[in-house]
Amino acid sequence: MFAKWGSIAYRRRWVVLIATVLLAVLGGVWGLGVFDKLSQGGYEAPSSEAARADKVAEQAFGRQNGDVIVIYRGDFANPLELKKVADHISGFPKKDVLKVTGPVPSDDKRQALVAITLTSGDSNGQIKQFEDVQSQLPIDGFTQQVGGLVPTQKAINDMSQSDLTRAEMFSLPLVLLLLVVIFGGLVAASLPVVVGGLAIMGALGVLHVIANFTSVNSFAVNVASLLGLGMAIDYGLFMVGRFREELAQGRTTEQAVGRTVASAGRTVVFSATLLVIALAGLLIFPHGFLKSLAYGGMSSVAIAALVSLTLLPALLGVLGHRVDKLAMPWRKKEPSERGWRSLSGRVMKRPLLFAIPLIAVLAALGAPFLNVQFGQVTEKVLPEGNAVRVATENINQNFSALSNTGLKIVVKGGDQAAVAQYLDKVKDVPGIGDVRPMGSDKGVTAAAAGLEHDALSAESKQALKDVRALTPPNGAEVLVGGNTAMVSDSLDAIADGLPLMIGLLVGATLILMFLAFGSVVLPIKAVVMSALSLSATFGVLVWIFQEGHGAGLLGVTPGPLESGIVVLMAAIVFGLSTDYEVFLLSRMVEARGQGATTEEAVSTGLAKTGRVITSAALLLIVVTGAFAFSQVAMMRFVGVGMILALALDATVVRMLLVPAVLKLLGDAAWWSPGPLKRIQERLALHDEPVDDFDDWDDEIREPVAVG
């Protein structure tokens, strides 16, 4: 079926080309509207106890959280100064501001805190209202700091958009330059970039559609851009390289297009399907943030594959041998495979000498991950010295009783005496500071419990467990919320979903790779190799971002890893590892099917794909590595992580460890039980590349001159 589609794409090339470009561009233009609908929420588990505590308190008392916190500096020992602030904040517009609390002076009377609750209940509306109110915050004679949840979200959103623009401005020209070097010609080099640009446009259109029905976090666009461009370049590199290889063997343009889609196109489909399934694993979790990342990643990868299988064959059909136009002086008709064959020969000559040390090194790199600690997005993702981060840290330090870092105790039902006795018990819990009432109405009592340690410390998490373990008052239900509870519940929800996600990734890899290659051993080996690569990557990330080795050079504050980003990275790195494995094994299995021995198949596969895989990894490092210079720490985490993962996987694992392990496995690597083999032969989307398309239906022919 793939070869037949290649022929259709060739014969209807102008229709396919125009339709694909038109749909992608229209989708991209319309998709620009998604930026006005992106949110910064979704980090919590919506059905958790902490989320329910917030909901019950809001139903009873209205919205209580200070969305925007302003600290004014002055001499607040003078009552007139305090009154001046109070008079000013009373004039905030009612359409934007629901409630203003304060001013509350600090212990030294040099600062006063004002908490502003906005009328909107969603992050998009709150950010817009904050922008409207922001110009009215300054007061003559006072300096100010602005922090809190909404300013932090706005700062992250603004920096993410500027980082995305800067990353694309940096990476696209460099990627094009590297493609020119790799392909040795400007025309061939431009094709993957065109596919990447259209993939991003199409993904924006899909995200805009999704944003009309559900909340989409702003980082979905970053992920869509990163993966859309990266995977389009990978797929384009693989398909354009195969097309030129077919032309070099003397085939016509039509034959070359058909064989390219039948072989490389089939590999792209399996590769993209595996990566989409890996990203779909994020949908298992209840967090809107992770679901948003899944939407962005799945749409961009799927569209990159779709454009690669439609636009690219049509473009190749139009260009034909002109794909080598505007060639560089160093361009060779056929890249040398001698180096890759020599490397595979050396590895397979002494497979144990390569396999054992490499596995030991990867295991050692992964060891720090055993001590990983998880957290959530806080103001610390912003750069040190950022005004919003400084203000929020000041709030937590000097106004801890009024900050959102403590526990929120919500009691439904029970008589007031029993509730008061219960709150007295809360005060006695180790790690709990003052407990102050927040109000009582409609049978609901709320209180704020301060924490003696950092909100996300082990001591605070233990205090949360101890408070939740207290016996509630008779006839009452107790819900414990607050930032520490929200983070703890979110991590529990991720832990609950991880086994299912891992099962999905492993199961999909085993099934799809079996269907692709007809072996039960190769998929198992692929899962083990990907797991080694993944653990080594995360081990190094823990060593840097959590333990702080070299964190100063990267400009990040060491601390617990953001759980959602870790899960995202796990899906992407596992998917990309399998992606390169599919590219490599596809040529090995092809050679094996033509009668090659195991050693010959491994050598041929490495020779045919070694340059493509390392080039693809280098290009993807440029695309994703640009995020290593992001102002936002969690995007810097993604950038550094992708550089590590790609460098390890495309060199150490695919080029050295895989050939060594296949040599050790020998002919057993291709084994499959007879019944399963017959099922694979019936179900697998398999094509034998053909040169003669004349016996296919003439309806698909079109009298267009061959380009």
Side-chain angles (χ1 to χ4, degrees):
M1 65 174 287
F2 287 99
K4 186 170 183 178
W5 167 247
S7 180
I8 294 172
Y10 170 78
R11 292 167 178 170
R12 303 287 188 187
R13 52 193 176 277
W14 285 109
V15 174
V16 172
L17 194 156
I18 293 171
T20 305
V21 171
L22 189 61
L23 286 173
V25 171
L26 289 176
V29 171
W30 184 73
L32 292 175
V34 73
F35 289 100
D36 294 329
K37 298 183 178 180
L38 298 174
S39 73
Q40 269 297 328
Y43 297 103
E44 71 283 348
S47 60
S48 65
E49 179 177 337
R52 288 189 291 123
D54 281 347
K55 186 175 181 180
V56 170
E58 184 175 332
Q59 289 173 343
F61 310 111
R63 297 190 61 244
Q64 297 292 308
N65 293 335
D67 301 312
V68 180
I69 308 295
V70 187
I71 298 178
Y72 294 100
R73 292 181 180 272
D75 180 14
F76 294 107
N78 183 348
L80 293 177
E81 295 288 277
L82 207 60
K83 183 177 184 302
K84 186 176 180 181
V85 173
D87 291 343
H88 179 83
I89 64 178
S90 66
F92 288 157
K94 301 301 182 185
K95 67 180 182 66
D96 296 320
V97 176
L98 177 68
K99 176 183 177 183
V100 180
T101 302
V104 179
S106 60
D107 293 339
D108 60 7
K109 306 298 183 182
R110 294 179 180 178
Q111 301 182 98
L113 179 144
V114 173
I116 302 171
T117 301
L118 301 169
T119 57
S120 178
D122 68 273
S123 60
N124 280 345
Q126 289 169 357
I127 289 175
K128 291 176 181 176
Q129 289 177 344
F130 169 59
E131 291 171 345
D132 293 339
V133 173
Q134 193 170 12
S135 62
Q136 303 176 49
L137 298 180
I139 305 175
D140 291 339
F142 298 94
T143 59
Q144 64 172 18
Q145 289 181 320
V146 182
L149 180 62
V150 173
T152 300
Q153 290 178 340
K154 183 178 184 301
I156 293 173
N157 198 23
D158 291 345
M159 287 184 180
S160 298
Q161 289 190 25
S162 64
D163 288 344
L164 178 60
T165 302
R166 188 171 61 251
E168 290 177 346
M169 289 178 64
F170 165 79
S171 60
L172 279 175
L174 187 53
V175 162
L176 182 56
L177 179 62
L178 288 172
L179 282 168
V180 171
V181 173
I182 292 166
F183 278 123
L186 187 59
V187 173
S190 65
L191 298 182
V193 176
V194 170
V195 174
L198 293 177
I200 294 174
M201 289 183 181
L204 287 178
V206 173
L207 284 177
H208 194 178
V209 172
I210 295 172
N212 285 318
F213 298 97
T214 186
S215 177
V216 175
N217 190 282
S218 62
F219 281 105
V221 175
N222 295 62
V223 171
S225 175
L226 183 151
L227 287 179
L229 181 59
M231 300 317 300
I233 288 172
D234 269 14
Y235 300 152
L237 188 67
F238 198 61
M239 291 190 67
V240 174
R242 184 62 184 252
F243 177 73
R244 296 170 82 190
E245 182 184 326
E246 297 294 340
L247 288 180
Q249 293 176 5
R251 293 187 172 89
T252 66
T253 300
E254 182 176 4
Q255 291 170 346
V257 170
R259 291 177 66 88
T260 296
V261 176
S263 53
R266 176 177 179 269
T267 302
V268 165
V269 168
F270 276 101
S271 169
T273 302
L274 282 168
L275 188 50
V276 167
I277 291 175
L279 291 163
L282 301 177
L283 297 174
I284 291 170
F285 304 99
H287 310 69
F289 174 65
L290 290 175
K291 292 182 185 295
S292 296
L293 300 184
Y295 301 146
M298 292 169 66
S299 59
S300 61
V301 171
I303 292 174
L306 185 62
V307 175
S308 297
L309 291 169
T310 53
L311 178 77
L312 202 49
L315 273 175
L316 294 174
V318 170
L319 291 171
H321 287 276
R322 289 176 298 190
V323 73
D324 290 323
K325 286 288 187 180
L326 303 179
M328 298 295 110
W330 60 81
R331 161 74 179 135
K332 297 179 180 178
K333 287 297 181 184
E334 273 299 311
S336 174
E337 299 175 352
R338 185 179 304 171
W340 296 107
R341 291 188 183 275
S342 175
L343 174 63
S344 65
R346 287 197 298 272
V347 172
M348 288 190 289
K349 188 176 182 180
R350 297 180 178 84
L352 285 175
L353 190 62
F354 282 88
I356 294 176
L358 289 176
I359 292 173
V361 168
L362 291 172
L365 290 175
F369 191 64
L370 297 174
N371 300 316
V372 66
Q373 298 175 8
F374 294 109
Q376 279 285 37
V377 175
T378 68
E379 75 281 352
K380 288 184 173 59
V381 304
L382 298 171
E384 288 188 15
N386 175 271
V388 174
R389 174 173 172 174
V390 170
T392 304
E393 289 173 343
N394 185 12
I395 296 163
N396 294 338
Q397 180 178 350
N398 295 305
F399 298 90
S400 58
L402 299 174
S403 71
N404 293 324
T405 58
L407 302 182
K408 181 188 291 184
I409 314 295
V410 179
V411 184
K412 293 177 63 179
D415 62 76
Q416 290 301 308
V419 172
Q421 290 178 356
Y422 170 79
L423 294 178
D424 286 338
K425 293 179 183 178
V426 173
K427 294 179 184 177
D428 297 331
V429 172
I432 297 294
D434 292 337
V435 177
R436 56 184 180 82
M438 296 173 61
S440 181
D441 191 20
K442 300 177 183 177
V444 176
T445 300
L451 294 168
E452 295 177 344
H453 303 276
D454 182 80
L456 301 182
S457 66
E459 294 85 354
S460 293
K461 291 177 180 177
Q462 185 58 50
L464 168 67
K465 292 180 181 178
D466 293 341
V467 169
R468 284 180 168 174
L470 293 175
T471 302
N474 287 334
E477 178 188 9
V478 175
L479 299 171
V480 183
N483 188 50
T484 301
M486 194 70 75
V487 172
S488 181
D489 291 350
S490 175
L491 295 178
D492 289 344
I494 288 177
D496 291 342
L498 270 179
L500 186 55
M501 178 183 175
I502 293 171
L504 176 66
L505 294 181
V506 172
T509 300
L510 294 177
I511 292 171
L512 286 175
M513 290 191 71
F514 167 72
L515 292 176
F517 303 130
S519 164
V520 297
V521 178
L522 291 178
I524 295 173
K525 179 199 68 65
V527 169
V528 174
M529 297 292 101
S530 296
L532 277 172
S533 179
L534 186 63
S535 64
T537 299
F538 279 125
V540 177
L541 289 173
V542 168
W543 190 74
I544 296 172
F545 285 86
Q546 178 181 303
E547 299 178 2
H549 303 283
L553 296 175
L554 291 173
V556 296
T557 303
L561 306 186
E562 202 286 307
S563 55
I565 293 295
V566 171
V567 173
L568 168 70
M569 283 288 296
I572 292 177
V573 172
F574 188 91
L576 287 176
S577 298
T578 310
D579 184 65
Y580 292 146
E581 182 84 357
V582 169
F583 285 173
L584 180 60
L585 291 179
S586 64
R587 297 306 290 264
M588 292 182 181
V589 171
E590 187 178 323
R592 178 73 176 178
Q594 294 171 356
T597 64
T598 296
E599 290 81 0
E600 291 169 345
V602 172
S603 179
T604 299
L606 193 60
K608 296 291 185 184
T609 63
R611 183 172 179 270
V612 174
I613 290 174
T614 52
S615 297
L618 174 61
L619 291 165
L620 197 50
I621 283 173
V622 171
V623 172
T624 59
F627 289 99
F629 302 98
S630 171
Q631 302 171 84
V632 181
M634 57 189 188
M635 288 311 299
R636 190 166 293 189
F637 178 89
V638 171
V640 173
M642 292 296 290
I643 291 173
L644 289 169
L646 291 164
L648 277 174
D649 198 82
T651 55
V652 174
V653 176
R654 302 305 149 196
M655 301 296 104
L656 299 175
L657 189 55
V658 168
V661 171
L662 286 175
K663 170 63 178 177
L664 292 171
L665 290 172
D667 289 343
W670 321 102
W671 178 80
S672 182
L676 287 180
K677 186 68 175 178
R678 287 190 289 273
I679 293 174
Q680 187 266 344
E681 290 172 351
R682 286 199 302 268
L683 296 181
L685 302 175
H686 183 67
D687 270 330
E688 291 294 337
V690 296
D691 291 334
D692 186 4
F693 301 102
D694 291 338
D695 55 347
W696 285 348
D697 194 344
D698 288 338
E699 290 182 0
I700 63 174
R701 293 190 178 277
E702 182 176 80
V704 178
V706 176

